[in-house]
Structure formats: C-alpha cells, structure tokens
C-alpha cells in the first residue's frame, strides 16, 4: 500500500517535472522571439528614418553635382555609381549581420544556465 502511494507520488512528481520543463522551453522560446520581434520593429523604424535621410541627401547631392557639371541626368548617374560601389563594398563583408543573428538565436535553443540555481 505504501509502495503504491510512493509510486503514485513519484509518477505525479515526474509528470509535474516534465510539464515544468516544457513550460520552461516555451518561455525561453517566447523570450527569444519577443527579443527578435522587438529588435525587428526597432530596426524597421531606424531603416525608415535612414532611408528618408538618404533620399533627402541624395536630392541635395544631385543638385550640387548638377551645379558643378550642368546636367542633372549625369549628376544622378554619377551619384548612382558612387552608391553602387559603396553597396558592393558593404555587402562583400556580411559577417556583422550574421554574428548578430547567431547571438540572438543561440540562447533560445541552448541554455547554459544550470537549472538547479533557480531554487
């Protein structure tokens, strides 16, 4: 009789432990995804503002080059080539973008923290 109660209690404790581990994994995934989503929203806002400033400065640069050479078409072509060369130089080294994503996703799937420290 006592062995049955002990077995029942052990099985209930084991079920509770599994539920808590599943809940912990879900919370870790939600934490990581919320960090990624929050970062994505902030990144989109920053990209929008940078793009707006970029367009305004492009207009100013085209106007200044037009004043120097007398043709707004050639001014736009020259500035386009400058931007193309800058883009090629930037995208030749995409490592900073990859390293950032690795640092975000690794803690979601690999928890270095010991679970016994929570008690």
């Amino acid at each position: 009789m006592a062995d049955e109660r002990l077995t029942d209690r052990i099985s209930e404790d084991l079920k509770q432990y599994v539920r808590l581990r599943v809940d912990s994994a879900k919370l870790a995934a939600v934490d990581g995804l919320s960090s990624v989503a929050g970062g994505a929203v902030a990144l989109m806002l920053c990209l929008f503002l940078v793009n707006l400033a970029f367009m305004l400065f492009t207009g100013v640069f085209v106007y200044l080059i037009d004043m120097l050479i007398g043709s707004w078409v050639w001014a736009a072509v020259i500035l386009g080539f400058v931007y193309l060369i800058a883009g090629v130089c930037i995208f030749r080294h995409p490592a900073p973008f990859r390293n950032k994503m690795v640092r975000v996703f690794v803690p979601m799937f690999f928890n270095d923290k010991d679970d016994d420290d929570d008690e």
Side-chain angles (χ1 to χ4, degrees):
M1 186 72 149
D3 290 337
E4 290 177 10
R5 284 188 294 191
L6 181 62
T7 305
D8 289 341
R9 183 168 174 155
I10 289 173
S11 66
E12 288 299 320
D13 287 345
L14 185 60
K15 288 177 187 177
Q16 183 180 8
Y17 175 75
V18 169
R19 275 195 304 265
L20 288 173
R21 292 296 290 183
V22 168
D23 289 343
S24 175
K26 287 179 185 178
L27 287 173
V30 167
D31 182 42
L33 289 175
S34 66
S35 296
V36 170
V41 169
L43 179 67
M44 293 300 285
L45 181 63
C46 288
L47 286 176
F48 173 74
L49 293 174
V50 166
N51 190 25
L52 181 64
F54 188 70
M55 288 187 314
L56 292 172
F57 283 125
T58 297
V60 169
F61 289 144
V62 166
Y63 178 74
L64 291 174
I65 295 171
D66 177 33
M67 288 175 49
L68 291 174
I69 64 173
S71 173
W72 68 270
V73 174
W74 283 109
V77 169
I78 291 169
L79 194 59
F81 277 117
V82 169
Y83 288 159
L84 182 66
I85 292 169
V88 167
C89 290
I90 289 171
F91 287 117
R92 282 185 65 201
H93 305 287
F97 302 110
R98 276 194 307 247
N99 290 341
K100 175 78 171 156
M101 294 307 290
V102 167
R103 278 185 251 124
V104 169
F105 283 113
V106 165
M108 284 175 53
F109 298 106
F110 301 103
N111 191 4
D112 291 339
K113 180 177 73 169
D114 190 19
D115 292 329
D116 295 334
D117 294 341
D118 294 339
E119 297 174 354

